[in-house]
Amino acid sequence: MDRALRVAVVGAGPAGIYAADILTKAAPAASVDIFDRLPTPYGLIRYGVAPDHPRIKEIITALHNVLDDPRIRFIGNVDYGVDVKPEELAPFYDAVVLATGADKDRDLDIPGIDLPGSYGAADFVSWYDGHPDVPREWPLTATKVAVLGAGNVAVDVARILAKTADELLETEIPHNVHQGLLASPVTDVHLFSRRGPGQVKFTPMELRELDESPNVEVIVHPEGMEFDEGSLAAIRAKRSLKMCVDVLQNWCARDPRDRPRRLHLHFLQAPAEILGDADGVTGLRTETQELTGDGTVRGTGEFTDWDVQAVYRAIGYLSRPIADLPFDHATGTVPHDAGRVLDLDGEHVPGLYATGWIKRGPVGLIGHTKKDANETITSLLADVDALPPAVHRDPADVLGHLDRRGLAYTTWSGWKRLDEHEVGLGNPHGRKRIKVVPRQEMIDISGGR
């Protein structure tokens, strides 16, 4: 293809970076600007993966190599739809690819959900990962905590809450997070799953990690360790699910060990109400569920009140709508056809595409993200002849526009300075890095490419 495409990608997480990589490989003359509302790249790989998961964070090496390509430019600290409207950027690009991800907690409509001490998991994850948009302190005052959910995020939250702070010192955990966890008086963390062990969504690796701390005893309560035909069929069909069930059954059968903290796993318990008053959470009420035969559950009318002083809901992420663009609030996605964004009449919005969680919802792993980006870029390249051409084609033009708007955008060379700074902070302590918060600690990462 001879046309030197100018494309903007909105979102510097894996979805956006993969889209840029696939595009520049398929169209070597193309150039891509990757915008992000955060001052740093990598999205949820930097701000959504628990600090004690260094193996998952290794993907950053591959993403770094993509962003080192001179045809790809990172422009951070620019909120698309807020700092710059879609129609503002349109004249600078032939096409725009939305890859804004999902970082908002899915709502849970039960009484007491808004009490002090009731939290969304996404906010807590952002805190312990040093996200620049959240406060530096977190109120860790509860001795007994409930976590709602049966996915990897729920497991991460429960594990971080249960571990001692010093166990995380070998990770990139920010200093303020270590200090906050150090003061936590927690003794018991209860993880509640609405369905049975045959319907869990976490991976075997995530599950096993719960039991690796020498300070935390994992207790699987036998009530709720039940299976119906639907559960057994699911276990037979999916090896990873069978591995999880085997681990849970082994833990359920073993004798408890004497450890200072306990992490309890409860199945077939649906949250019904968060108890408390204006001063905060005093308990959680759950309704016992029963399996119906096909793997789904229904309430039994039997309720249990649990003595907890904080509740974290980890029942899924949702994407945020983008100003002036179509959005399905029920699914948290933009309507699309093979990545082509559709308007309210179901017609393709010329030059506008989507990939990642904003396209398909917050499901799937990195492999799904690559496949997703490939589909979207294939659609974009098929549409090349119909794309409205950019009016301002010089890459310097868009930076001039941002400068005139007075936007303090960050750059790839700026990120490299921050990266070097964080690694330098960690080296004297024998750690790979210590994460800092650039907006709040005033680390300058602007200027350059």
Side-chain angles (χ1 to χ4, degrees), residues 163-209:
K163 271 187 171 182
T164 60
D166 286 352
E167 291 178 72
L168 297 170
L169 270 179
E170 62 184 18
T171 74
E172 63 181 36
I173 184 173
H175 177 72
N176 68 293
V177 176
H178 174 257
Q179 293 301 302
L181 292 170
L182 195 63
S184 171
V186 69
T187 58
D188 292 82
V189 177
H190 296 265
L191 181 65
F192 293 95
S193 174
R194 184 177 64 87
R195 298 203 288 176
Q199 290 80 44
V200 296
K201 299 298 183 183
F202 37 71
T203 60
M205 183 183 75
E206 296 268 358
L207 178 62
R208 292 193 188 102
E209 285 177 338

Side-chain angles (χ1 to χ4, degrees), residues 380-424:
L380 189 159
L381 293 175
D383 298 341
V384 163
D385 291 339
L387 291 176
V391 176
H392 307 291
R393 304 201 65 80
D394 188 334
D397 291 343
V398 69
L399 297 185
H401 178 75
L402 298 179
D403 288 335
R404 288 190 294 275
R405 289 288 311 277
L407 296 174
Y409 57 87
T410 59
T411 64
W412 181 237
S413 61
W415 156 253
K416 287 184 173 181
R417 289 199 297 275
L418 176 62
D419 185 39
E420 183 179 354
H421 176 73
E422 290 185 342
V423 171

Side-chain angles (χ1 to χ4, degrees), residues 58-310:
E58 286 173 3
I59 190 178
I60 283 181
T61 300
L63 301 180
H64 185 286
N65 291 337
V66 174
L67 289 174
D68 258 342
D69 188 325
R71 296 171 297 170
I72 298 172
R73 184 167 61 176
F74 171 70
I75 303 173
N77 211 40
V78 176
D79 195 348
Y80 183 77
V82 178
D83 294 330
V84 290
K85 299 296 184 183
E87 60 270 20
E88 272 186 84
L89 284 186
F92 297 96
Y93 300 100
D94 300 299
V96 174
V97 180
L98 305 176
T100 50
D103 62 357
K104 178 178 177 290
D105 281 296
R106 187 177 293 276
D107 292 333
L108 179 62
D109 186 16
I110 61 173
I113 194 66
D114 294 324
L115 286 174
S118 170
Y119 308 109
D123 291 336
F124 183 59
V125 171
S126 293
W127 174 74
Y128 67 59
D129 269 332
H131 196 292
D133 289 347
V134 300
R136 302 287 276 154
E137 292 76 36
W138 190 271
L140 292 166
T141 58
T143 57
K144 298 176 182 178
V145 180
V147 179
L148 312 178
N152 284 341
V153 175
V155 169
D156 281 350
V157 168
R159 187 183 66 255
I160 296 296
L161 285 167
K163 271 187 171 182
T164 60
D166 286 352
E167 291 178 72
L168 297 170
L169 270 179
E170 62 184 18
T171 74
E172 63 181 36
I173 184 173
H175 177 72
N176 68 293
V177 176
H178 174 257
Q179 293 301 302
L181 292 170
L182 195 63
S184 171
V186 69
T187 58
D188 292 82
V189 177
H190 296 265
L191 181 65
F192 293 95
S193 174
R194 184 177 64 87
R195 298 203 288 176
Q199 290 80 44
V200 296
K201 299 298 183 183
F202 37 71
T203 60
M205 183 183 75
E206 296 268 358
L207 178 62
R208 292 193 188 102
E209 285 177 338
L210 291 179
D211 202 42
E212 292 179 356
S213 168
N215 299 299
V216 181
E217 172 66 356
V218 180
I219 301 170
V220 177
H221 291 253
E223 304 85 4
M225 283 292 291
E226 300 176 9
F227 306 89
D228 60 2
E229 277 304 315
S231 303
L232 296 175
I235 293 168
R236 288 191 294 267
K238 192 172 183 181
R239 183 171 177 269
S240 61
L241 179 57
K242 183 180 186 306
M243 294 169 66
C244 286
V245 169
D246 288 345
V247 170
L248 291 169
Q249 288 179 321
N250 288 335
W251 289 350
C252 186
R254 72 185 179 187
D255 293 329
R257 296 162 295 185
D258 185 18
R259 295 184 174 182
R261 296 183 177 185
R262 292 160 294 279
L263 202 166
H264 308 260
L265 303 183
H266 307 273
F267 295 98
L268 296 178
Q269 293 290 330
E273 182 178 357
I274 298 176
L275 309 174
D277 51 36
D279 292 330
V281 171
T282 59
L284 172 71
R285 178 168 296 159
T286 63
E287 182 182 9
T288 301
Q289 307 293 292
E290 62 182 6
L291 293 161
T292 61
D294 60 0
T296 59
V297 297
R298 62 187 170 215
T300 64
E302 298 178 8
F303 294 88
T304 303
D305 289 354
W306 304 87
D307 176 20
V308 297
Q309 299 88 48

Side-chain angles (χ1 to χ4, degrees), residues 8-20 33-38 40-43 67 74-75 78 80 97-101 355:
V9 172
V10 183
I17 295 174
Y18 285 141
D33 288 343
I34 302 181
F35 290 86
D36 202 284
R37 72 180 186 87
L38 296 176
T40 56
Y42 308 136
L67 289 174
F74 171 70
I75 303 173
V78 176
Y80 183 77
V97 180
L98 305 176
T100 50
T355 190

